[in-house]
Coordinates of all heavy atoms in Angstrom, one line a residue:
M1 N -15.4 11.6 2.3 CA -15.0 10.3 1.8 C -15.6 10.3 0.3 O -16.7 10.6 0.1 CB -15.4 9.2 2.5 CG -15.0 7.8 1.9 SD -15.3 6.4 2.9 CE -14.1 6.7 4.1
I2 N -14.6 10.1 -0.6 CA -15.0 10.0 -2.0 C -15.4 8.5 -2.5 O -14.7 7.6 -2.2 CB -13.9 10.5 -3.0 CG1 -13.5 11.9 -2.5 CG2 -14.2 10.5 -4.4 CD1 -14.5 13.0 -2.7
C3 N -16.5 8.4 -3.1 CA -17.0 7.2 -3.6 C -16.1 6.7 -4.8 O -15.8 7.4 -5.7 CB -18.4 7.2 -4.1 SG -19.0 5.7 -5.0
Q4 N -15.6 5.4 -4.7 CA -14.7 4.9 -5.8 C -15.5 4.7 -7.1 O -14.8 4.6 -8.2 CB -14.1 3.6 -5.4 CG -13.1 3.7 -4.3 CD -12.5 2.3 -3.9 OE1 -13.1 1.3 -4.3 NE2 -11.4 2.3 -3.2
W5 N -16.7 4.6 -7.1 CA -17.6 4.4 -8.2 C -18.0 5.6 -9.1 O -18.0 5.8 -10.3 CB -18.8 3.5 -7.9 CG -18.2 2.1 -7.4 CD1 -18.1 1.8 -6.0 CD2 -17.9 1.0 -8.2 NE1 -17.6 0.5 -6.0 CE2 -17.5 0.0 -7.2 CE3 -17.7 0.8 -9.5 CZ2 -16.9 -1.2 -7.6 CZ3 -17.2 -0.5 -9.9 CH2 -16.8 -1.5 -9.0
C6 N -18.6 6.5 -8.2 CA -19.2 7.6 -9.0 C -18.5 9.0 -8.6 O -18.7 10.1 -9.0 CB -20.7 7.9 -8.6 SG -21.0 8.5 -6.9
E7 N -17.5 8.9 -7.6 CA -16.6 10.0 -7.3 C -17.3 11.0 -6.6 O -16.9 12.2 -6.4 CB -15.8 10.6 -8.5 CG -14.9 9.5 -9.1 CD -14.1 10.1 -10.3 OE1 -14.3 11.3 -10.7 OE2 -13.3 9.3 -10.8
S8 N -18.6 10.8 -6.0 CA -19.2 11.7 -5.2 C -18.6 11.8 -3.8 O -17.9 10.8 -3.3 CB -20.7 11.3 -5.0 OG -21.3 11.9 -4.0
D9 N -18.8 12.9 -3.1 CA -18.2 13.0 -1.8 C -19.2 12.6 -0.7 O -19.1 13.0 0.4 CB -17.7 14.5 -1.6 CG -18.8 15.5 -1.6 OD1 -20.0 15.1 -1.9 OD2 -18.5 16.7 -1.2
T10 N -20.2 11.9 -1.0 CA -21.3 11.5 -0.1 C -21.0 10.0 0.5 O -21.9 9.5 1.1 CB -22.7 11.5 -0.7 OG1 -22.7 10.6 -1.8 CG2 -23.0 13.0 -1.2
A11 N -19.9 9.5 0.2 CA -19.6 8.1 0.7 C -19.4 8.1 2.1 O -18.7 9.0 2.6 CB -18.5 7.4 -0.1
R12 N -19.8 7.2 2.9 CA -19.7 7.0 4.3 C -19.3 5.6 4.7 O -19.7 4.6 4.1 CB -20.9 7.4 5.1 CG -21.5 8.8 4.7 CD -20.7 9.9 5.3 NE -21.2 11.1 5.1 CZ -20.7 12.0 4.3 NH1 -19.8 11.6 3.4 NH2 -21.3 13.1 4.0
E13 N -18.4 5.5 5.8 CA -18.1 4.2 6.3 C -19.3 3.6 7.0 O -20.1 4.2 7.7 CB -17.0 4.4 7.3 CG -15.7 4.7 6.6 CD -14.5 4.8 7.7 OE1 -14.6 4.4 8.9 OE2 -13.4 5.3 7.3
T14 N -19.5 2.3 6.8 CA -20.5 1.5 7.4 C -20.1 0.1 7.6 O -19.0 -0.2 7.4 CB -21.9 1.6 6.5 OG1 -22.9 1.0 7.2 CG2 -21.6 1.1 5.2
S15 N -21.0 -0.8 8.0 CA -20.8 -2.2 7.9 C -21.9 -2.8 7.3 O -23.0 -2.4 7.2 CB -20.5 -2.7 9.4 OG -21.8 -2.5 10.2
N16 N -21.6 -4.0 6.7 CA -22.6 -4.8 5.9 C -22.4 -6.2 6.0 O -21.1 -6.7 6.2 CB -22.5 -4.2 4.4 CG -23.6 -4.5 3.6 OD1 -24.8 -4.5 4.0 ND2 -23.5 -4.7 2.3
T17 N -23.4 -7.1 5.6 CA -23.2 -8.5 5.4 C -22.8 -8.7 4.0 O -23.3 -8.2 3.1 CB -24.6 -9.1 5.8 OG1 -24.9 -8.9 7.1 CG2 -24.4 -10.6 5.5
V18 N -21.7 -9.5 3.9 CA -21.2 -9.9 2.5 C -21.2 -11.4 2.3 O -21.2 -12.1 3.4 CB -19.9 -9.3 2.2 CG1 -19.8 -7.7 2.3 CG2 -18.8 -9.8 3.2
Y19 N -21.1 -11.9 1.2 CA -21.1 -13.3 1.0 C -19.8 -13.6 0.1 O -19.4 -12.9 -0.9 CB -22.3 -13.8 0.1 CG -23.5 -13.5 0.9 CD1 -24.2 -12.3 0.8 CD2 -24.0 -14.4 1.8 CE1 -25.3 -12.0 1.6 CE2 -25.1 -14.1 2.6 CZ -25.7 -12.9 2.5 OH -26.9 -12.6 3.3
W20 N -18.9 -14.5 0.7 CA -17.7 -14.8 0.1 C -17.5 -16.2 -0.2 O -17.8 -17.2 0.7 CB -16.6 -14.4 1.2 CG -15.5 -13.7 0.7 CD1 -14.3 -14.2 0.1 CD2 -15.3 -12.3 0.5 NE1 -13.5 -13.2 -0.3 CE2 -14.1 -12.1 0.0 CE3 -16.2 -11.2 0.8 CZ2 -13.7 -10.7 -0.3 CZ3 -15.8 -10.0 0.6 CH2 -14.5 -9.6 0.1
E21 N -16.9 -16.6 -1.3 CA -16.5 -17.9 -1.7 C -15.3 -18.2 -1.1 O -14.3 -17.5 -1.2 CB -16.5 -18.0 -3.3 CG -16.2 -19.5 -3.7 CD -16.2 -19.6 -5.3 OE1 -16.3 -18.5 -6.0 OE2 -15.9 -20.6 -5.7
L22 N -15.2 -19.5 -0.5 CA -13.9 -19.9 0.1 C -12.9 -20.2 -1.0 O -13.2 -20.4 -2.1 CB -14.3 -21.2 0.9 CG -15.2 -21.0 2.1 CD1 -15.3 -22.4 2.9 CD2 -14.8 -20.0 3.0
P23 N -11.6 -20.2 -0.6 CA -10.6 -20.3 -1.5 C -10.6 -21.6 -2.4 O -10.2 -21.6 -3.5 CB -9.3 -20.2 -0.8 CG -9.7 -19.3 0.5 CD -11.1 -19.7 0.7
D24 N -11.1 -22.7 -1.7 CA -11.2 -23.9 -2.5 C -12.4 -24.1 -3.3 O -12.6 -25.1 -3.9 CB -11.0 -25.1 -1.4 CG -12.1 -25.2 -0.3 OD1 -13.1 -24.4 -0.5 OD2 -12.0 -26.1 0.5
G25 N -13.3 -23.0 -3.2 CA -14.5 -23.2 -4.0 C -15.6 -24.1 -3.5 O -16.5 -24.3 -4.1
T26 N -15.4 -24.6 -2.3 CA -16.5 -25.6 -1.8 C -17.8 -25.0 -1.3 O -18.8 -25.7 -1.3 CB -15.8 -26.4 -0.6 OG1 -15.4 -25.5 0.5 CG2 -14.7 -27.3 -1.1
K27 N -17.7 -23.8 -0.8 CA -18.9 -23.2 -0.3 C -18.8 -21.7 -0.2 O -17.7 -21.1 -0.4 CB -19.4 -23.8 1.0 CG -18.5 -23.5 2.2 CD -19.0 -24.1 3.4 CE -18.1 -23.8 4.6 NZ -18.6 -24.4 5.9
V28 N -19.9 -21.0 0.0 CA -19.9 -19.6 0.2 C -20.3 -19.4 1.7 O -21.2 -20.1 2.2 CB -20.9 -18.9 -0.7 CG1 -21.1 -17.4 -0.4 CG2 -20.5 -19.1 -2.2
I29 N -19.6 -18.5 2.3 CA -20.1 -18.0 3.7 C -20.6 -16.5 3.8 O -20.3 -15.7 3.0 CB -18.9 -18.2 4.7 CG1 -17.8 -17.3 4.3 CG2 -18.5 -19.6 4.7 CD1 -16.7 -17.2 5.5
E30 N -21.4 -16.3 4.8 CA -21.8 -15.0 5.1 C -20.9 -14.4 6.2 O -20.7 -15.0 7.2 CB -23.3 -15.2 5.7 CG -23.9 -13.8 6.1 CD -25.3 -14.1 6.7 OE1 -25.4 -14.4 7.9 OE2 -26.2 -13.9 6.0
I31 N -20.5 -13.2 5.9 CA -19.6 -12.5 6.8 C -20.3 -11.2 7.1 O -20.6 -10.3 6.4 CB -18.3 -12.1 6.2 CG1 -17.6 -13.3 5.6 CG2 -17.3 -11.5 7.3 CD1 -16.4 -13.0 4.8
Q32 N -20.8 -11.2 8.5 CA -21.6 -10.1 9.0 C -20.7 -9.0 9.6 O -19.6 -9.3 9.9 CB -22.5 -10.6 10.1 CG -23.5 -11.7 9.6 CD -24.2 -12.3 10.9 OE1 -24.2 -11.8 11.9 NE2 -25.0 -13.4 10.5
D33 N -21.3 -7.8 9.5 CA -20.6 -6.6 10.1 C -19.2 -6.3 9.5 O -18.2 -5.9 10.1 CB -20.4 -6.7 11.7 CG -21.6 -6.0 12.3 OD1 -22.3 -5.3 11.7 OD2 -21.5 -6.2 13.6
T34 N -19.1 -6.6 8.1 CA -17.9 -6.3 7.4 C -17.7 -4.8 7.1 O -18.8 -4.2 6.6 CB -17.9 -7.1 6.0 OG1 -18.2 -8.5 6.3 CG2 -16.7 -6.9 5.2
P35 N -16.6 -4.2 7.4 CA -16.4 -2.8 7.1 C -16.7 -2.5 5.6 O -16.2 -3.3 4.8 CB -14.9 -2.7 7.5 CG -14.5 -3.7 8.4 CD -15.4 -4.9 8.0
S36 N -17.4 -1.6 5.4 CA -17.9 -1.3 4.0 C -17.9 0.3 3.8 O -17.8 1.1 4.8 CB -19.2 -1.8 3.8 OG -19.2 -3.2 4.0
I37 N -18.2 0.7 2.6 CA -18.5 2.0 2.2 C -19.7 2.1 1.6 O -20.0 1.3 0.7 CB -17.3 2.5 1.2 CG1 -15.9 2.3 1.9 CG2 -17.5 4.0 1.0 CD1 -15.6 3.1 3.0
H38 N -20.6 3.0 1.9 CA -21.8 3.2 1.3 C -22.0 4.7 0.7 O -21.6 5.7 1.5 CB -23.1 2.9 2.2 CG -24.4 3.2 1.7 ND1 -24.9 2.4 0.8 CD2 -25.2 4.3 1.8 CE1 -26.0 2.8 0.3 NE2 -26.3 4.0 0.9
C39 N -22.3 4.7 -0.6 CA -22.5 6.0 -1.2 C -23.9 6.5 -1.2 O -24.8 5.7 -1.8 CB -21.9 6.0 -2.7 SG -22.1 7.6 -3.5
L40 N -24.1 7.6 -0.7 CA -25.5 8.1 -0.8 C -26.0 8.6 -2.1 O -27.2 8.6 -2.3 CB -25.6 9.3 0.4 CG -25.3 8.9 1.8 CD1 -25.3 10.2 2.6 CD2 -26.3 7.9 2.3
E41 N -25.0 8.9 -2.9 CA -25.3 9.4 -4.3 C -25.7 8.3 -5.3 O -26.8 8.3 -5.8 CB -24.1 10.2 -4.8 CG -24.3 10.8 -6.2 CD -25.2 12.0 -6.3 OE1 -25.4 12.6 -5.1 OE2 -25.9 12.3 -7.3
C42 N -24.9 7.4 -5.4 CA -25.2 6.3 -6.3 C -25.7 5.1 -5.7 O -26.3 4.1 -6.4 CB -23.9 5.9 -7.1 SG -22.6 5.1 -6.2
G43 N -25.7 4.9 -4.4 CA -26.3 3.9 -3.6 C -25.6 2.5 -3.6 O -26.0 1.6 -2.9
I44 N -24.4 2.5 -4.0 CA -23.6 1.3 -3.9 C -23.0 1.2 -2.6 O -22.6 2.1 -1.9 CB -22.5 1.3 -5.0 CG1 -21.9 0.0 -5.2 CG2 -21.4 2.4 -4.7 CD1 -21.0 -0.2 -6.5
T45 N -22.8 -0.2 -2.2 CA -22.1 -0.4 -0.9 C -21.0 -1.4 -1.4 O -21.3 -2.4 -2.0 CB -23.0 -1.1 0.1 OG1 -24.2 -0.2 0.3 CG2 -22.3 -1.4 1.3
Y46 N -19.8 -1.1 -1.0 CA -18.6 -1.9 -1.4 C -17.6 -1.9 -0.2 O -17.7 -1.2 0.6 CB -18.0 -1.3 -2.5 CG -17.5 0.1 -2.5 CD1 -16.2 0.4 -2.2 CD2 -18.3 1.3 -2.7 CE1 -15.6 1.7 -2.1 CE2 -17.9 2.5 -2.6 CZ -16.5 2.7 -2.3 OH -16.1 3.9 -2.2
Q47 N -16.6 -2.8 -0.3 CA -15.5 -3.0 0.5 C -14.3 -2.4 -0.2 O -14.1 -2.5 -1.3 CB -15.3 -4.4 0.9 CG -16.4 -5.0 1.7 CD -17.7 -5.3 1.0 OE1 -17.6 -5.9 -0.2 NE2 -18.7 -4.8 1.5
T48 N -13.5 -1.8 0.7 CA -12.2 -1.2 0.1 C -11.3 -2.4 -0.3 O -11.4 -3.6 0.1 CB -11.4 -0.4 1.2 OG1 -11.0 -1.3 2.2 CG2 -12.4 0.8 1.8
D49 N -10.3 -2.0 -1.2 CA -9.3 -3.1 -1.6 C -8.6 -3.7 -0.4 O -8.4 -4.9 -0.4 CB -8.4 -2.5 -2.6 CG -9.0 -2.1 -3.9 OD1 -10.2 -2.6 -4.2 OD2 -8.3 -1.3 -4.6
N50 N -8.3 -2.9 0.6 CA -7.7 -3.4 1.7 C -8.5 -4.4 2.5 O -8.0 -5.5 2.9 CB -7.3 -2.2 2.6 CG -6.4 -2.6 3.8 OD1 -5.3 -3.2 3.6 ND2 -6.8 -2.3 4.9
T51 N -9.8 -4.1 2.7 CA -10.7 -5.0 3.4 C -10.8 -6.3 2.5 O -10.7 -7.4 3.2 CB -12.0 -4.4 3.6 OG1 -11.9 -3.3 4.4 CG2 -13.0 -5.4 4.2
V52 N -10.9 -6.2 1.3 CA -11.1 -7.4 0.5 C -9.8 -8.3 0.6 O -9.8 -9.5 0.8 CB -11.3 -7.0 -1.1 CG1 -11.0 -8.2 -2.0 CG2 -12.7 -6.4 -1.2
K53 N -8.6 -7.7 0.6 CA -7.4 -8.4 0.7 C -7.2 -9.0 2.1 O -6.8 -10.2 2.2 CB -6.1 -7.5 0.4 CG -4.8 -8.2 0.6 CD -3.7 -7.4 0.1 CE -2.3 -8.1 0.1 NZ -2.3 -9.5 0.3
E54 N -7.6 -8.3 3.1 CA -7.6 -8.9 4.4 C -8.5 -10.1 4.6 O -8.0 -11.1 5.2 CB -8.0 -7.9 5.6 CG -7.0 -6.8 5.8 CD -7.5 -5.7 6.7 OE1 -8.7 -5.7 7.0 OE2 -6.7 -4.8 7.1
I55 N -9.6 -10.1 4.0 CA -10.6 -11.2 4.1 C -10.0 -12.4 3.3 O -9.9 -13.5 3.7 CB -11.9 -10.9 3.7 CG1 -12.6 -9.9 4.6 CG2 -12.8 -12.2 3.4 CD1 -13.9 -9.2 4.0
E56 N -9.5 -12.1 2.1 CA -9.0 -13.2 1.2 C -7.8 -13.8 1.8 O -7.6 -15.0 1.8 CB -8.7 -12.7 -0.2 CG -10.0 -12.4 -0.9 CD -9.8 -11.8 -2.4 OE1 -8.7 -11.5 -2.7 OE2 -10.8 -11.7 -3.0
D57 N -6.9 -13.0 2.4 CA -5.6 -13.6 3.0 C -6.1 -14.4 4.2 O -5.6 -15.6 4.4 CB -4.7 -12.5 3.5 CG -3.9 -11.9 2.4 OD1 -3.9 -12.5 1.3 OD2 -3.2 -10.8 2.7
Q58 N -7.0 -13.9 5.1 CA -7.4 -14.7 6.2 C -8.1 -16.0 5.8 O -7.8 -17.0 6.4 CB -8.4 -13.9 7.1 CG -8.8 -14.5 8.3 CD -7.6 -14.6 9.3 OE1 -6.4 -14.3 9.1 NE2 -8.0 -15.0 10.5
L59 N -8.9 -16.0 4.9 CA -9.5 -17.3 4.4 C -8.6 -18.2 3.8 O -8.6 -19.5 3.9 CB -10.6 -17.0 3.4 CG -11.9 -16.3 4.0 CD1 -12.8 -15.9 2.9 CD2 -12.6 -17.2 4.9
F60 N -7.4 -17.8 3.3 CA -6.4 -18.6 2.8 C -5.5 -19.2 3.8 O -5.0 -20.3 3.7 CB -5.6 -17.7 1.7 CG -4.6 -18.5 1.0 CD1 -4.9 -19.4 0.0 CD2 -3.2 -18.5 1.3 CE1 -4.0 -20.2 -0.8 CE2 -2.2 -19.2 0.6 CZ -2.7 -20.0 -0.4
L61 N -5.5 -18.5 5.0 CA -4.6 -18.9 6.0 C -5.2 -19.6 7.2 O -4.5 -20.1 8.0 CB -3.8 -17.7 6.6 CG -3.0 -16.9 5.5 CD1 -2.5 -15.6 6.0 CD2 -1.8 -17.7 5.1
I62 N -6.4 -19.8 7.2 CA -7.1 -20.5 8.3 C -7.7 -21.8 7.8 O -7.7 -22.1 6.6 CB -8.2 -19.6 8.9 CG1 -9.4 -19.4 8.1 CG2 -7.7 -18.4 9.5 CD1 -10.6 -18.7 8.6
D63 N -8.2 -22.6 8.7 CA -8.8 -23.9 8.4 C -10.3 -23.6 8.1 O -11.0 -23.6 9.1 CB -8.6 -24.8 9.7 CG -9.3 -26.3 9.2 OD1 -9.7 -26.4 8.3 OD2 -9.1 -27.2 10.2
C64 N -10.6 -23.4 6.9 CA -12.0 -23.0 6.5 C -12.9 -24.2 6.8 O -14.2 -23.9 6.8 CB -12.0 -22.7 5.1 SG -11.1 -21.1 4.7
S65 N -12.5 -25.4 6.9 CA -13.5 -26.5 7.2 C -14.1 -26.3 8.6 O -15.2 -26.9 8.8 CB -12.8 -27.9 7.1 OG -11.8 -27.9 8.3
K66 N -13.6 -25.4 9.5 CA -14.3 -25.3 10.7 C -15.2 -24.0 10.7 O -15.8 -23.8 11.8 CB -13.1 -25.0 11.8 CG -12.3 -26.3 12.0 CD -11.2 -26.0 13.0 CE -10.3 -27.2 13.3 NZ -9.3 -27.0 14.3
L67 N -15.3 -23.4 9.6 CA -16.2 -22.2 9.6 C -17.7 -22.6 9.5 O -17.9 -23.6 8.7 CB -15.9 -21.4 8.3 CG -14.5 -20.7 8.4 CD1 -14.2 -19.9 7.1 CD2 -14.4 -19.7 9.7
E68 N -18.5 -21.9 10.1 CA -20.0 -22.1 10.0 C -20.4 -21.3 8.7 O -19.6 -20.6 8.1 CB -20.6 -21.5 11.2 CG -20.3 -22.2 12.5 CD -20.8 -23.7 12.5 OE1 -21.8 -23.9 12.0 OE2 -20.1 -24.5 13.2
K69 N -21.6 -21.5 8.3 CA -22.2 -20.8 7.1 C -22.2 -19.2 7.3 O -22.2 -18.5 6.3 CB -23.6 -21.3 6.8 CG -23.5 -22.7 6.3 CD -25.0 -23.1 6.0 CE -24.9 -24.6 5.5 NZ -26.3 -24.9 5.0
S70 N -22.3 -18.8 8.6 CA -22.3 -17.4 8.8 C -21.4 -17.1 9.9 O -21.3 -17.8 11.0 CB -23.7 -17.0 9.3 OG -23.8 -15.7 9.5
I71 N -20.7 -16.0 9.9 CA -19.6 -15.5 10.8 C -19.6 -14.1 11.0 O -19.8 -13.3 10.0 CB -18.2 -16.2 10.5 CG1 -17.3 -16.1 11.7 CG2 -17.7 -15.7 9.3 CD1 -16.0 -16.9 11.5
M72 N -19.2 -13.5 12.0 CA -19.0 -12.1 12.2 C -17.5 -11.8 11.7 O -16.6 -12.5 11.8 CB -19.0 -11.7 13.6 CG -20.5 -11.9 14.3 SD -21.7 -10.9 13.6 CE -21.2 -9.2 14.2
Y73 N -17.4 -10.7 11.1 CA -16.1 -10.2 10.5 C -15.0 -10.3 11.6 O -14.0 -10.8 11.3 CB -16.2 -8.8 9.9 CG -14.9 -8.2 9.5 CD1 -14.4 -8.5 8.3 CD2 -14.2 -7.4 10.4 CE1 -13.1 -8.0 7.8 CE2 -13.0 -6.8 10.0 CZ -12.5 -7.2 8.7 OH -11.4 -6.6 8.3
E74 N -15.2 -9.7 12.7 CA -14.3 -9.7 13.8 C -13.9 -11.1 14.2 O -12.7 -11.4 14.4 CB -14.7 -8.9 14.9 CG -14.8 -7.4 14.7 CD -13.5 -6.7 14.3 OE1 -12.4 -7.3 14.9 OE2 -13.6 -5.8 13.6
T75 N -14.8 -12.0 14.2 CA -14.6 -13.4 14.6 C -13.7 -14.1 13.6 O -12.7 -14.8 13.8 CB -15.9 -14.2 14.8 OG1 -16.7 -13.5 15.7 CG2 -15.6 -15.6 15.2
L76 N -14.1 -13.8 12.3 CA -13.2 -14.4 11.2 C -11.8 -13.9 11.3 O -10.9 -14.6 11.2 CB -13.8 -13.9 9.8 CG -13.1 -14.3 8.6 CD1 -12.9 -15.9 8.4 CD2 -13.7 -13.7 7.3
M77 N -11.6 -12.6 11.4 CA -10.3 -12.0 11.5 C -9.5 -12.5 12.7 O -8.3 -12.5 12.7 CB -10.4 -10.6 11.3 CG -11.1 -10.0 10.1 SD -10.5 -10.7 8.6 CE -8.9 -10.1 8.5
A78 N -10.2 -12.9 13.7 CA -9.4 -13.4 14.9 C -9.2 -15.0 14.9 O -8.5 -15.4 15.8 CB -10.3 -13.1 16.1
A79 N -9.7 -15.6 13.9 CA -9.5 -17.1 13.8 C -8.0 -17.3 13.6 O -7.2 -16.7 13.0 CB -10.3 -17.6 12.6
P80 N -7.6 -18.4 14.4 CA -6.2 -18.8 14.4 C -5.7 -19.1 13.0 O -6.4 -20.0 12.3 CB -6.0 -19.9 15.4 CG -7.4 -20.4 15.7 CD -8.4 -19.3 15.3
R81 N -4.5 -18.7 12.7 CA -3.9 -18.9 11.3 C -3.2 -20.2 11.4 O -2.4 -20.4 12.3 CB -3.2 -17.7 10.8 CG -4.0 -16.6 10.5 CD -3.2 -15.4 10.0 NE -3.9 -14.4 9.5 CZ -3.4 -13.3 8.9 NH1 -2.2 -13.1 8.6 NH2 -4.3 -12.4 8.4
L82 N -3.0 -20.9 10.2 CA -2.2 -22.0 10.1 C -0.7 -21.6 9.6 O 0.2 -22.2 9.9 CB -2.7 -23.0 8.9 CG -4.1 -23.6 9.3 CD1 -4.6 -24.5 8.1 CD2 -4.0 -24.5 10.6
L83 N -0.7 -20.5 8.9 CA 0.6 -19.8 8.6 C 0.5 -18.4 9.0 O -0.5 -17.9 9.3 CB 0.7 -19.8 7.0 CG 0.7 -21.2 6.3 CD1 0.6 -21.0 4.8 CD2 2.0 -21.9 6.6
K84 N 1.7 -17.9 9.2 CA 1.8 -16.5 9.7 C 1.4 -15.4 8.7 O 0.8 -14.4 9.1 CB 3.3 -16.1 10.1 CG 3.7 -16.9 11.4 CD 5.0 -16.5 11.8 CE 5.5 -17.3 13.0 NZ 6.9 -17.0 13.4
R85 N 1.6 -15.7 7.3 CA 1.2 -14.7 6.3 C 1.0 -15.6 5.1 O 1.4 -16.7 5.0 CB 2.2 -13.6 6.1 CG 3.6 -14.2 5.7 CD 4.5 -12.9 5.4 NE 5.8 -13.3 4.8 CZ 6.0 -13.3 3.5 NH1 5.1 -12.8 2.7 NH2 7.1 -13.7 2.9
N86 N 0.5 -14.8 4.0 CA 0.2 -15.5 2.7 C 1.6 -15.5 1.9 O 2.0 -14.3 1.4 CB -0.8 -14.8 2.0 CG -1.2 -15.3 0.7 OD1 -0.5 -16.3 0.2 ND2 -2.2 -14.8 0.1
Y87 N 2.3 -16.6 2.0 CA 3.6 -16.6 1.3 C 3.4 -16.7 -0.3 O 4.4 -16.7 -1.0 CB 4.4 -17.8 1.7 CG 4.7 -17.8 3.2 CD1 4.0 -18.4 4.2 CD2 5.8 -17.0 3.6 CE1 4.3 -18.3 5.5 CE2 6.2 -16.9 5.0 CZ 5.4 -17.5 5.9 OH 5.8 -17.4 7.2
F88 N 2.2 -16.9 -0.8 CA 1.9 -16.8 -2.2 C 1.6 -15.5 -2.7 O 1.3 -15.4 -3.9 CB 0.8 -17.9 -2.5 CG 1.2 -19.2 -2.0 CD1 0.7 -19.8 -0.9 CD2 2.1 -20.0 -2.9 CE1 1.0 -21.0 -0.5 CE2 2.4 -21.3 -2.3 CZ 2.0 -21.8 -1.3
D89 N 1.6 -14.5 -1.9 CA 1.3 -13.2 -2.3 C 2.6 -12.5 -2.7 O 3.3 -12.0 -1.8 CB 0.5 -12.4 -1.2 CG 0.1 -10.9 -1.7 OD1 0.5 -10.6 -2.8 OD2 -0.4 -10.2 -0.8
F90 N 2.9 -12.5 -4.0 CA 4.1 -11.9 -4.4 C 4.1 -10.4 -4.7 O 5.0 -9.7 -5.1 CB 4.6 -12.7 -5.7 CG 4.8 -14.0 -5.4 CD1 4.0 -15.0 -6.0 CD2 5.8 -14.5 -4.7 CE1 4.1 -16.3 -5.8 CE2 6.0 -15.9 -4.4 CZ 5.2 -16.8 -4.9
A91 N 2.9 -9.7 -4.4 CA 2.7 -8.3 -4.6 C 3.4 -7.5 -3.6 O 3.6 -6.3 -3.7 CB 1.3 -7.9 -4.6
K92 N 3.9 -8.1 -2.5 CA 4.6 -7.4 -1.4 C 6.0 -7.0 -1.8 O 6.7 -7.6 -2.4 CB 4.5 -8.2 -0.1 CG 3.1 -8.2 0.3 CD 3.1 -9.1 1.6 CE 1.6 -9.3 2.0 NZ 1.4 -10.1 3.2

């Protein structure tokens, strides 16, 4: 796997705890075990664009008022949605 930052071939899939601001800006939550990439060369740990989009879409589509301060990634992604998809994403 190639690192998006330094282009080294030492990047590996991992999971990490990340902190995310809710779409309404009211608070930040901790998301544990988030799929991530870690580069052994430059030391950066990051999420792919796809993972970022999945998290942002999910947070936009669920009732965030029911979220605790900390949540597992899989639990977040399994939370029931208020809408079927993000109708405000015009990139599709």
Side-chain angles (χ1 to χ4, degrees):
M1 179 173 288
I2 303 297
C3 175
Q4 290 181 347
W5 297 96
C6 72
E7 298 182 355
S8 167
D9 64 354
T10 64
R12 302 289 181 258
E13 291 182 10
T14 187
S15 62
N16 199 28
T17 297
V18 298
Y19 299 88
W20 223 272
E21 183 177 1
L22 297 183
D24 64 4
T26 57
K27 67 180 178 179
V28 173
I29 61 168
E30 176 184 78
I31 307 171
Q32 299 173 13
D33 265 351
T34 304
S36 303
I37 307 296
H38 178 74
C39 178
L40 300 173
E41 182 72 25
C42 68
I44 193 166
T45 301
Y46 61 94
Q47 291 70 49
T48 64
D49 291 343
N50 187 53
T51 299
V52 169
K53 180 165 179 20
E54 287 175 352
I55 292 170
E56 289 180 351
D57 281 350
Q58 185 70 351
L59 289 173
F60 187 73
L61 298 172
I62 65 173
D63 183 357
C64 290
S65 68
K66 295 182 180 179
L67 292 176
E68 297 294 326
K69 290 182 179 182
S70 182
I71 190 169
M72 299 294 290
Y73 173 81
E74 292 297 328
T75 304
L76 172 66
M77 299 313 288
R81 293 179 168 191
L82 301 173
L83 298 171
K84 291 181 183 181
R85 67 180 186 91
N86 184 352
Y87 294 100
F88 299 102
D89 182 2
F90 300 110
K92 295 179 182 182

